[in-house]
Amino acid sequence: MSKNKPIFVTSPLLPPLEEFQTYLKEIWESKWLTNNGQFHQQLEKELCDYLGVKHVCLFSNGTLALITALQALGITGEVITTPFSFVATTHSLWWNNIKPVFVDIDPYTFNLDPTKVEAAITPKTTAIMPVHVYGTPCNLKAFEQIAETYNLKLIYDAAHAFGVEINGNSILNFGDLSILSFHATKVFNTFEGGAIICQDEKMKRHIDDLKNFGFRGETTVVAAGINAKMNEMQAAFGILQLKYIEEAREKRKKIAKTYRQTLKSTEGITCLNDFPDIKHAYSYFPVLIEQEKYGMSRDQLYEKLKENNIYSRRYFYPLISNFPTYKGLSSAKKDNLPNANNIAKHVLCLPIYPSLEIEDVYRISDIILESKFK
Ligand code: T4K
């Protein structure tokens, strides 16, 4: 451990380079670089097994997966969503000419609050797009009931929820479609990458058409598709990474446990609830900072950590609803989103990644403890 070595909020899981070279050699020999190659097919199969889902459609990134998911379901009009997420969630609606309707979040999970969704439904509403923020599952039952009652599609942005299960069942098995991101900063990465999880063969076929220009065969174009395919190098990296994913999850778990232990008695610092019965991804470690009790604001602590070469992040500040593209929408008004505005002002994501040393976790915690009322 060196105090001069910068510690970022995350660092990618990188298996041994020599092992990746073996895959590269195979790609060189086959000269098959993309378009549903052998590694692409293998990764889809292995992910179905690992995640416990029926169908995986791989994508070049999570944003294109979101955009294509909306296309696949023919979503139009208005979609109810959360302002407390990464901008890509809402951008995917905007790119499909869909009006986002923001609804407030639940202060305990930071996820879209289902009890507030019904009031936002209009005759133009066609879908709900909640996000499992930081990998914490949304209230799946409640959303299912609302979607059924109002005949709405349900699309989960599950970018943070790789491998998350409730009572042994993947949360990706809920809703019409779920979207994963395999970006470098994610628990499971393929440099860039993503996936749509769907529940039946027909939908998989449709999504596979859409991500490949709409081509079915050499001369038939069945839909106005896009190019959003994952290439063989990304897929091979994914296959290799899957071998290390459980070990990496255990390391993340240990880090999360250490933060909880070291920070538990610090007044003004609250860790996100540790929900039981859930197999967590430990993708982020968010804490809330209350200045009145702790002595420093969230932004002051963020700067203090930075002075010590520790680069925490204020995910998700600013709220999506406060960005110029969206802030004119009536649902973006602050009084419509009190919890989201409050959490965005107080949240700080601490570094968590498999290669983060436990002694560094203690050092980060010590800085937080020592900064109290300074
Ligand atoms: N939906 C949700 C809920 C999402 O969170 C995201 C993406 C998406 C959809 C869209 O999925 P993708 O289209 O991205 O697949 C990052 C990521 O770029 C983004 O993927 C992620 N969410 C978001 C939460 O975080 P930035 O702008 O904060 O990343 P950046 O470049 O500042 O990286 C953060 C830290 O990670 C760096 O300080 C150091 C470390 N890092 C980063 C990269 C790129 C590395 O160590 N190596 C790397 O290669 O957005």
Side-chain angles (χ1 to χ4, degrees):
M1 178 184 69
S2 151
K3 283 189 181 175
N4 298 322
K5 184 190 76 179
I7 296 179
F8 298 108
V9 68
T10 190
S11 180
L13 174 60
L14 288 171
L17 183 57
E18 315 79 74
E19 291 185 31
F20 190 44
Q21 279 162 346
T22 314
Y23 291 85
L24 288 179
K25 199 161 171 282
E26 267 195 65
I27 294 173
W28 255 244
E29 281 164 5
S30 73
K31 296 190 170 53
W32 197 270
L33 309 186
T34 185
N35 288 11
N36 200 26
Q38 60 151 340
F39 289 133
H40 185 283
Q41 290 173 34
Q42 188 182 335
L43 181 60
E44 285 196 342
K45 203 167 161 297
E46 288 194 14
L47 281 174
C48 281
D49 292 344
Y50 178 77
L51 296 170
V53 299
K54 285 200 195 102
H55 300 284
V56 171
C57 310
L58 292 175
F59 275 76
S60 46
N61 62 62
T63 305
L64 279 170
L66 279 169
I67 289 171
T68 310
L70 293 160
Q71 284 279 325
L73 294 171
I75 304 298
T76 56
E78 296 178 1
V79 170
I80 293 170
T81 190
T82 171
F84 190 72
S85 181
F86 188 60
V87 280
T89 309
T90 311
H91 282 352
S92 71
L93 298 170
W94 208 250
W95 272 61
N96 274 296
N97 214 7
I98 295 163
K99 182 177 169 189
V101 175
F102 296 114
V103 163
D104 205 9
I105 59 170
D106 173 299
Y108 301 102
T109 60
F110 306 169
N111 287 330
L112 187 65
D113 185 346
T115 65
K116 296 189 178 143
V117 163
E118 285 184 80
I121 295 174
T122 75
K124 289 185 183 157
T125 311
T126 55
I128 312 171
M129 190 151 84
V131 181
H132 303 297
V133 176
Y134 307 133
T136 303
C138 291
N139 188 335
L140 303 164
K141 265 205 184 123
F143 283 120
E144 200 168 85
Q145 266 168 18
I146 298 168
E148 226 176 84
T149 308
Y150 293 90
N151 194 23
L152 302 174
K153 296 290 182 196
L154 186 52
I155 304 147
Y156 283 109
D157 181 338
H160 306 167
F162 187 85
V164 174
E165 294 175 0
I166 301 182
N167 296 320
N169 186 13
S170 170
I171 62 168
L172 305 172
N173 289 323
F174 292 80
D176 292 283
L177 300 174
S178 291
I179 284 79
L180 290 167
S181 164
F182 304 152
H183 182 261
T185 55
K186 296 295 190 288
V187 164
F188 170 83
N189 88 80
T190 54
F191 283 46
E192 291 268 3
I196 300 180
I197 310 302
C198 63
Q199 319 298 346
D200 66 76
E201 186 64 50
K202 202 170 152 211
M203 180 55 82
K204 163 134 178 80
R205 186 77 197 260
H206 182 40
I207 293 168
D208 285 347
D209 289 340
L210 285 176
K211 75 175 193 195
N212 185 31
F213 314 99
F215 265 112
R216 199 176 282 180
E218 248 181 69
T219 52
T220 311
V221 170
V222 294
I226 197 165
N227 181 3
K229 290 164 277 135
M230 177 179 278
N231 68 47
E232 284 293 272
M233 210 160 64
Q234 290 172 289
F237 189 75
I239 293 165
L240 175 59
Q241 188 155 145
L242 262 189
K243 299 187 203 297
Y244 293 88
I245 201 73
E246 271 305 308
E247 186 188 323
R249 206 183 73 83
E250 283 306 314
K251 287 184 180 158
R252 286 177 177 272
K253 185 177 178 177
K254 196 170 164 202
I255 291 164
K257 196 172 162 199
T258 308
Y259 275 132
R260 281 188 190 282
Q261 273 166 357
T262 52
L263 298 175
K264 73 174 175 224
S265 47
T266 318
E267 243 204 308
I269 303 278
T270 315
C271 302
L272 177 61
N273 293 313
D274 187 12
F275 303 93
D277 307 323
I278 287 169
K279 182 181 173 191
H280 291 279
Y282 306 101
S283 31
Y284 296 86
F285 196 85
V287 292
L288 293 179
I289 291 112
E290 280 174 86
Q291 184 167 9
E292 306 71 45
K293 291 183 187 161
Y294 178 66
M296 258 191 194
S297 70
R298 183 274 310 272
D299 290 343
Q300 285 169 328
L301 179 58
Y302 166 81
E303 292 298 337
K304 179 84 196 169
L305 289 167
K306 225 176 184 181
E307 283 166 25
N308 286 275
N309 236 355
I310 295 155
Y311 299 89
S312 60
R313 289 296 285 264
R314 290 165 287 188
Y315 295 132
F316 290 100
Y317 163 85
L319 286 182
I320 304 176
S321 47
N322 291 334
F323 286 122
T325 315
Y326 306 112
K327 71 175 184 206
L329 295 169
S330 58
S331 66
K333 292 204 170 76
K334 212 173 165 187
D335 57 4
N336 185 45
L337 309 166
N339 293 333
N341 276 283
N342 184 41
I343 301 294
K345 203 169 142 194
H346 294 102
V347 73
L348 191 65
C349 288
L350 301 179
I352 185 165
Y353 50 89
S355 57
L356 181 63
E357 311 261 354
I358 288 297
E359 52 184 315
D360 281 329
V361 179
Y362 282 117
R363 186 163 71 87
I364 295 165
S365 300
D366 282 347
I367 295 168
I368 296 172
L369 301 183
E370 284 160 14
S371 301
K372 193 171 184 314
F373 278 105
K374 282 256 163 83

